[in-house]
Structure formats: C-alpha cells, structure tokens
Amino acid sequence: MSPAAKVVIAPQRHSDITSKPLINGADQAYKYDTEKEGQASSHDETSVHEGEEKFKQLGWVKLTVCLIVEAIALGSLSVPSAFAAVGMVAGVLLSVGIGLIAIYTSYTVGQVKLLHPHVNHYSDAVALIWGRFGYELTGVMFALFLILIVGSHTLTGTIAWINIVGEVNVCGLVWGILSAIILYFVALPPTFAEFAILGYIDFVSIIAAIILTIVATGVKASEAPGGFEAVTWSVWPPPDTTLHGAFLSTTNIIFAYSFAVCQYSFMREMHTPRDYVKSIWALGLIEIFIYTVTGALIYAFVGADVQSPALLSAGGKISRIAFGIALPVIFISGSINTTVVGRYILDRVFPNSPIRFIHSRQAWAVWLVLVGIITVIGWVIAEAVPFFNALLGLISSLFISGFTFYFPALFWFQLIKEGKWNKDWKNIGLSIVNAAIFLIGLAILGLGTYASVVDIMDSYSSGSVRGSFTCDSAAYT
C-alpha cells in the first residue's frame, strides 16, 4: 500500500458512523484500499463490483461455521492434558473463564468493524490505533501465525497417517508431503461462503472423534482393575506442578479460543455484518461446552497419564479409528488458514486490481500459485524446525496474547468508549473489565513466552527433539 493524502483525525461515536476511513494514529500518510479503488478503469470497476457481490454471500450461520472450522480443530483434544496439569477445578474454571473472555473480546473486535467498515483484516484495525507501524507489524504477525498453523496441520496429518497405517517403516516425509497436498487442494475455494460447506463436514468429524474418544476411554477405565475409582485424577493441581508446566498447558486452552484472529477476514464477506453477534455467541457457547466436557470427562477417565491429543489415550485400534475420523478436521481446519492468509496477501499485492476477487483465469492462476507457496512454506518450516510444536507455542504466546486479549482491550479504550472512562457506571465497569483483559494479555505474553522457552530447552535436554526433514516415522509419534 502506497502513501496517501492526509486524513483529518476526528473522534468517532456510534451516532456518526460513515463509510469513510478515519485513521487514529501518528502515521496519517496511510492509505486504505477503499480510497484507491476510485482510480480504477471502468472495466476494472465492473469487475470489482462483480467481485464484491461474489464475496458478500456470508450470513451469520455460515460465519459461525467458518469460525468453528478455524477454532475447533484437533487441538480441542489437547484440553484434557491441560486439565491434568492444573487439576479438575482449575481446568474447568480456565475453560469457562477464558471462553467468556474470548466471547467478549470477539464482540469488541466486531464492533470495530461496524464503526469502521473499511477494516478487512486485523492489521487494518490495529492501524486505527497504532498507525502504519501497527499495520505492518500486525500484518507480519497475522501472516506468520497463520502460515505456522498450516505447517502445524501438515505435522498433525503426518502423525495421523502414521497412527492409522501403523507402519513406521515408511519414510515420515511421505506422509508430510501427502498431508501438504491435501491441505493445498482443500484450500482452493476462495470465498468463505464456499468454504463453509466443508465446515459442516469438519464439525461432524471433530464431534465424532471426540465422542469416540470419550466413550473409548470411559469403557477402558471401567474395565480396568478398580474401575473409575482407580483413575488417578486430581481435583487440585498435582503437587509436582511447576509454573512453566502449568502455564504451558494453560496456553493450550488459550490457543483453543483464538477465533478472533480471522474474524475481520470473515466479517468482510458478510452481507449483514451486524449479525456477527449471533455467530460469536453461538461459537463461544459451543466451544465452552465442548472443551469443558471433553477436558473433564477424558481427564476423569484417563487420569494424569492422558496424552495429547487425547486420541492417543483411546488405545490400539480405537485410536487408529479416531484418527481416521479426525482426518477431515485436520485438513479442513488447516486449509482455512491458508485461504485467510492468501486473501490477505492478495489484498496487499493487488489493492486496485480485480485479481484479488479471483474472478478471471489470470486471477485463478495467481490464486493457485499463491496457495501452493503458502502450503509449501508452512510444510518446510514445520519439517525444518526440530522443536516446531514448542515454537508454535512460543508464537501463540507472542501473538494470541494480542489478537485475543490486549488488542481488543485497546480497541475499546481508543475506538469504542464514549466519553471519559468514569463518565458513568457503564464506562467504569467496562473500563475495569478491559483493563483486566489487557493485563491478562500481558501476563500471557510474558509467562507464555517464558514457559515456551523453558519447554524448548527441556526438549533439547531430554533428547526428545526430532531431526529436521527426518524419515524416521517413530520420531513423529
């Protein structure tokens, strides 16, 4: 994006919303895409209009589905291990508490979109409070995080194939390449309204995998000597719990609620943006129910030795079946991140061109190549970094702390709040809530980074770090 004419800075209230971007930041030379579209030719204007119609077909139900695809993946089955690290009571409180915070911060994120309709991606929103610096910084954070998530799903796919086939003599890279190819093809639908169709399959897949795992671990516990009473689960944190261990497990729950990251990208396609509130509540309550029930039941059935993902605790043939059922969610939830970051890159590289609407042969050629590049980069990073899972935990602490916590709090203070913080009881109450959320974000940033770094060091010390681009399938399991 190139520099533009200065924009007058003025405070904005709910009552004076306009479609004209108002930029609140030191860098007033920043220019949004919507200001430049008027320079396009009449042919391009027609193509842009057709493209905008194509990308305005998302209702609140499909938005909910897209958010579910982005948020509820196989990581939901890592929640039981988090319960094992902090105990049943703390696990339930964290699952419900973080879920409610995520609903509120996502509501705040959506309010910014309604006040500033030109905001199409998270970086556009941060530009409103931090100017060009915030725009570029958040853009890098956004793209890097999503590409790493794509890489994470190539690794998860590798682990799933190895467990399903049960053959460790096959080179592990083969399964990684196969996973990357599947992720590529699933990511090709360019609109989220189209992608939502796959979302229904995704949701059925993860629910079926969770139910099978719960039933299998429950039956296994009931048939073991001593039955359910012999399971070693704890109401309170185990005596040997360390700060970095507990917080590392807590980041699994935090990461599971990180649906605000892609919210602007999804809302851009809504034909009635104000309906996003229905989606946020629907998704948030579904997540709270799934994570709390899954975490509590599987932890109660397996105990302190529960594995992550919990599919591995189902044992033998059931575990292999569960991984097979979970294959759609692995690849669909991974691919939507490719689509989101691909659309973001198109908006940056082709701000004036109808290419960004993927409406012609030339545009489709660009899209096919871009999706391929994103997928390959994700796979290469995942295979090249021996401690990739720990690296993903580090990146999550660095970035999710902002996307889900302290950025929404800053949005409320700088873009949404009407009048002074102590104007009335509503402002006082919301100021306290958002200040607390801001501090929680900083705590996650600091303690999460610390816990992830310690985890990386411990992995090297214990020798559990696999080699880069290794063929050893056993190293992935």
Side-chain angles (χ1 to χ4, degrees), residues 163-164 311-324:
N163 278 276
I164 292 169
L311 296 172
L312 297 169
S313 297
K317 184 182 292 187
I318 299 298
S319 180
R320 295 167 65 180
I321 294 173
F323 268 113

Side-chain angles (χ1 to χ4, degrees), residues 80 83 88 217 221 228 230-233 294-303:
F83 275 53
M88 185 68 78
T217 53
F228 293 114
V231 179
T232 57
W233 65 273
T294 301
L297 287 180
I298 295 180
Y299 175 45
F301 292 156
V302 180

Side-chain angles (χ1 to χ4, degrees), residues 130-454:
W130 284 1
R132 185 60 179 261
F133 168 76
Y135 176 75
E136 299 295 348
L137 174 65
T138 318
V140 172
M141 291 168 58
F142 181 76
L144 177 60
F145 177 69
L146 294 180
I147 290 173
L148 287 176
I149 295 298
V150 175
S152 172
H153 281 263
T154 65
L155 277 185
T156 305
T158 300
I159 294 169
W161 288 120
I162 292 172
N163 278 276
I164 292 169
V165 176
E167 180 58 68
V168 295
N169 293 326
V170 178
C171 178
L173 290 177
V174 171
W175 303 119
I177 294 171
L178 174 60
S179 297
I181 291 172
I182 296 173
L183 283 165
Y184 170 77
F185 282 106
V186 177
L188 291 181
T191 74
F192 297 121
E194 295 168 335
F195 209 104
I197 298 172
L198 295 173
Y200 296 106
I201 301 172
D202 175 281
F203 187 63
V204 172
S205 170
I206 189 60
I207 293 300
I210 288 173
I211 291 174
L212 178 60
T213 304
I214 291 174
V215 172
T217 53
V219 171
K220 189 176 179 181
S222 67
E223 294 177 347
F228 293 114
E229 293 182 359
V231 179
T232 57
W233 65 273
S234 173
V235 174
W236 310 111
D240 59 346
T241 300
T242 60
L243 175 63
H244 81 270
F247 210 87
L248 195 65
S249 297
T250 302
T251 57
N252 288 333
I253 299 177
I254 293 169
F255 180 73
Y257 285 108
S258 59
F259 50 85
V261 179
C262 301
Q263 187 176 327
Y264 287 121
S265 304
F266 295 150
M267 287 184 66
R268 178 187 185 182
E269 289 194 18
M270 293 191 74
H271 52 69
T272 311
R274 291 187 180 277
D275 284 348
Y276 86 95
V277 178
K278 302 175 186 177
S279 300
I280 294 305
W281 275 107
L283 171 68
L285 295 177
I286 289 171
E287 279 198 295
I288 290 173
F289 177 78
I290 290 176
Y291 295 156
T292 306
V293 171
T294 301
L297 287 180
I298 295 180
Y299 175 45
F301 292 156
V302 180
D305 296 326
V306 63
Q307 300 182 64
S308 180
L311 296 172
L312 297 169
S313 297
K317 184 182 292 187
I318 299 298
S319 180
R320 295 167 65 180
I321 294 173
F323 268 113
I325 293 173
L327 283 177
V329 72
I330 292 171
F331 297 119
I332 295 173
S333 287
S335 296
I336 199 168
N337 295 285
T338 306
T339 304
V340 172
V341 73
R343 292 278 304 282
Y344 169 72
I345 292 172
L346 284 184
D347 287 344
R348 290 297 306 268
V349 177
F350 302 103
N352 296 323
S353 171
I355 285 178
R356 72 187 189 277
F357 294 116
I358 316 169
H359 201 62
S360 64
R361 290 183 179 180
Q362 181 187 16
W364 269 104
V366 171
W367 179 247
L368 293 174
V369 171
L370 179 59
V371 170
I373 291 173
I374 293 168
T375 305
V376 170
I377 292 174
W379 174 75
V380 168
I381 295 175
E383 291 290 348
V385 180
F387 52 90
F388 179 78
N389 286 331
L391 173 64
L392 186 62
L394 175 62
I395 296 298
S396 298
S397 298
L398 290 173
F399 296 169
I400 294 301
S401 57
F403 290 132
T404 305
F405 295 93
Y406 61 76
F407 279 141
L410 291 176
F411 292 160
W412 186 83
F413 279 111
Q414 296 184 253
L415 302 175
I416 299 174
K417 176 174 61 66
E418 297 184 355
K420 294 183 178 180
W421 72 273
N422 58 353
K423 171 186 174 183
D424 50 35
W425 285 111
K426 178 183 177 181
N427 269 18
I428 292 174
L430 289 176
S431 294
I432 293 172
V433 168
N434 283 279
I437 291 173
F438 179 79
L439 293 176
I440 290 172
L442 293 184
I444 294 170
L445 175 63
L447 292 175
T449 301
Y450 161 75
S452 298
V453 171
V454 172

